[in-house]
Amino acid sequence: MQRRALLGTLGATGLFPAIRPAGAQGLQRATLRLKWLAQTQFAGFYLALQRGYYREAGIDLTINPGGPNLLTENLVATGADTFGLSGGTDSVFAARERNLPIQCVGIAHQQTPFVFVVRNNSPIRTLQDFRGKTITTWFTGANYVLLGMLAQAGLRQGEFTMQPQQVSVTPFVDGQIDVVTATRYNEFYTLMTRMGRDNLRVFVPDDFGITFPRDTLIVSEQTARDKPEMVKGFLRASIRGWREALADKKAGVDAVMAVAPTLNREHQEFMLEEAGKLMVAGAAAQNGMFWINQDAVKAAHDFLLRYEVIKSAVNLPAAYNNSFMESLTAAERGV
């Protein structure tokens, strides 16, 4: 999910509190900053916390929700949070380009989880038709993907209007904007519910040969260097929680709704189902959840560099550290 999840339709009106287990004396304290508020896009983390898997790994974990205009990369880079679920490969590139000392140690979504949506009766049939149109997207990574796609189609910045997307898709539904960004498991569900699937046309990055793995697990370079066992323990516990959340989706939804009881359960069930598909796709099918597919990362990097969305090459081995995942056994990775 993109962190800009639509909450108005879910009945949630404010930030959910951070979640921290009781009785965690003697454990190593750490925080996980999510990219958005509590929802089943993060079910595996909540279930692992609820079932004590982080404590078994020696970690007293606090889960901090994300929110509007919170950049996980900044919070992890400054040490405000230990672990972070950040925007995606593209936002990690951008963070490294800004010399933020963060590393990706795992990737949740192995495929691009969002699409760009227009009305089926609109004149927008190709990417070239985005010229002169008003677009909203998340300025936390998805904007880089779209800029790259439009550059590939021959459009230059300034030939369209791109605005930050807020938590509601109502401006699109009301016809105030031409193109809206939607995750497959969240906003698109809302758009289908409100407008009907037949009234929507989608532009899928993967259909244009562009795959951007997203929901990247990040730590600071200092944490990776000084606390490698904690990073391994966090990954081990998180994968265990996610495997169980996908195997028993009721438990996964229940764990999230225990924190955020006002969420719409049907929506959360749909979200967990769709997010789960993204987590076990691609390289994860052979290597386990949160595997870093270096080929996919490099392809995304080279695409953005080619179209000058990022201005200089990123040191990929320094930015994407798969050694922690490689250190886990096949059983711990769920293979």
Side-chain angles (χ1 to χ4, degrees):
M1 142 201 87
Q2 266 306 329
R3 70 178 61 180
R4 304 294 188 262
L6 180 63
L7 295 181
T9 62
L10 305 182
T13 57
L15 294 177
F16 299 119
I19 305 302
R20 183 168 180 263
Q25 293 84 356
L27 304 178
Q28 198 167 22
R29 290 189 175 182
T31 61
L32 167 63
R33 175 69 63 174
L34 301 178
K35 59 193 296 184
W36 192 244
L37 308 182
Q39 55 188 17
T40 55
Q41 178 189 353
F42 317 120
F45 302 114
Y46 282 104
L47 190 62
L49 183 65
Q50 183 185 80
R51 293 183 171 178
Y53 298 156
Y54 295 113
R55 295 180 66 188
E56 290 180 21
I59 303 171
D60 170 15
L61 185 73
T62 300
I63 296 180
N64 291 324
N69 304 315
L70 284 179
L71 288 178
T72 306
E73 292 87 352
N74 290 353
L75 294 170
V76 171
T78 61
D81 286 293
T82 316
F83 300 96
L85 193 69
S86 71
T89 49
D90 40 288
S91 57
V92 171
F93 298 147
R96 294 291 301 196
E97 192 175 38
R98 291 186 290 124
N99 296 315
L100 293 183
I102 57 104
Q103 282 189 346
C104 172
V105 296
I107 298 177
H109 294 168
Q110 301 290 316
Q111 297 175 332
T112 313
F114 55 80
V115 295
F116 303 102
V117 186
V118 302
R119 294 169 195 79
N120 200 32
N121 61 359
S122 81
I124 303 174
R125 301 285 171 176
T126 68
L127 288 175
Q128 287 82 2
D129 295 330
F130 281 42
R131 183 177 283 106
K133 301 301 188 292
T134 300
I135 307 160
T136 62
T137 192
W138 301 294
F139 280 44
T140 54
N143 56 319
Y144 298 115
V145 176
L146 182 57
L147 287 172
M149 290 173 62
L150 295 180
Q152 185 182 49
L155 274 67
R156 299 185 303 274
Q157 293 192 45
E159 293 187 294
F160 48 86
T161 300
M162 183 181 290
Q163 300 173 348
Q165 188 163 311
Q166 303 305 316
V167 297
S168 174
V169 294
T170 297
F172 175 78
V173 175
D174 290 346
Q176 299 173 30
I177 59 173
D178 303 299
V179 185
V180 70
T181 309
T183 54
R184 299 170 185 262
Y185 47 79
N186 198 4
E187 291 85 3
F188 197 63
Y189 175 91
T190 302
L191 290 170
M192 289 191 296
T193 300
R194 296 181 65 178
M195 300 179 67
R197 178 63 182 89
D198 292 343
N199 294 317
L200 304 170
R201 183 182 304 114
V202 298
F203 291 83
V204 181
D206 305 74
D207 290 346
F208 296 87
I210 306 165
T211 295
F212 285 85
R214 292 183 63 76
D215 279 32
T216 38
L217 278 174
I218 59 172
V219 297
S220 68
E221 290 181 341
Q222 181 176 356
T223 296
R225 181 181 64 249
D226 297 344
K227 300 180 179 180
E229 293 306 315
M230 183 176 70
V231 176
K232 295 175 191 177
F234 175 83
L235 286 167
R236 191 180 297 114
S238 297
I239 291 170
R240 185 179 176 186
W242 268 109
R243 287 174 62 191
E244 294 181 7
L246 296 182
D248 182 358
K249 293 186 175 62
K250 181 180 183 302
V253 174
D254 286 347
V256 173
M257 295 197 70
V259 178
T262 60
L263 294 174
N264 178 284
R265 188 175 190 92
E266 183 178 353
H267 192 159
Q268 296 304 304
E269 291 169 346
F270 176 89
M271 181 183 294
L272 182 54
E273 182 72 28
E274 294 301 311
K277 293 175 184 177
L278 296 168
M279 295 188 71
V280 299
Q286 292 77 40
N287 299 300
M289 285 186 286
F290 293 104
W291 189 258
I292 299 175
N293 182 343
Q294 299 287 4
D295 290 339
V297 168
K298 185 177 186 305
H301 169 271
D302 292 351
F303 175 85
L304 293 179
L305 186 63
R306 183 183 316 124
Y307 293 103
E308 299 184 342
V309 176
I310 54 176
K311 303 303 181 185
S312 58
V314 172
N315 183 340
L316 295 181
Y320 293 85
N321 186 347
N322 214 20
S323 66
F324 297 105
M325 287 296 301
E326 291 171 343
S327 71
L328 303 185
T329 67
E332 289 170 338
R333 288 186 276 116
V335 178

